[in-house]
Amino acid sequence: MFAVIRTGGKQYRVAKDDMIVVEKLLGEPGAMVELSDVLMIGGDGKAPTVGTPVIDKAAVFAEVVEQSRADKIIVFKKNRRKGYRRTRCHRQQQTVLRIVDVSPTGVKPKGIAAKKAPKKDDAPKPEAKPEAKAA
């Protein structure tokens, strides 16, 4: 059984035990996440089920393998004959996931305590730093 999921503005075709690299998701290595934006589910010899735009109750459960950063991208800007040159670099943060199960009904596989993948906007706010004590 396979599924097409959407995360980080991109679509991925996944099956059980696949390893995928996606935009950063919150979660420590070893944590389970639930990806609920399932666009399509296909099976062995069956016609695929296509969502409008997503399939209700369907979910893909994945384990966070590691949080890492992609290769460095160098951005170079130049205007001819103007003496203008700028160099900038960027490394995108990414999450490596191992797909544990594809569930058309959203039922968690046995022995897995899954939690929904939080969005970047739902990240906890940093607390105010305590004032330093004068010695």
Side-chain angles (χ1 to χ4, degrees), residues 10 28 45 64 67 77 93 113 116-117:
K10 299 174 186 69
E28 297 295 321
V64 176
Q67 301 283 1
K77 300 178 182 180
Q93 294 187 346
K116 283 199 161 225

Side-chain angles (χ1 to χ4, degrees), residues 22-110:
V22 299
E23 296 282 329
K24 181 166 175 68
L25 295 174
L26 296 178
E28 297 295 321
M32 298 301 293
V33 294
E34 176 184 345
L35 304 167
S36 59
D37 280 350
V38 180
L39 305 175
M40 183 173 82
I41 291 182
D44 306 321
K46 297 179 185 176
T49 304
V50 180
T52 55
V54 296
I55 299 173
D56 294 333
K57 299 180 183 177
V60 173
F61 297 93
E63 176 186 3
V64 176
V65 176
E66 71 172 323
Q67 301 283 1
S68 61
R69 296 173 73 190
D71 293 335
K72 184 184 289 186
I73 296 173
I74 298 175
V75 179
F76 182 71
K77 300 178 182 180
K78 178 181 179 179
N79 287 346
R80 293 188 331 165
R81 299 183 297 270
K82 306 294 185 213
Y84 175 82
R85 298 191 317 175
R86 298 290 183 268
T87 303
R88 298 286 180 260
C89 298
H90 177 74
R91 288 186 73 184
Q92 186 69 31
Q93 294 187 346
Q94 61 189 13
T95 302
V96 179
L97 298 175
R98 184 178 62 81
I99 305 301
V100 175
D101 189 36
V102 176
S103 175
T105 58
V107 176
K108 299 174 192 172
K110 293 182 181 178

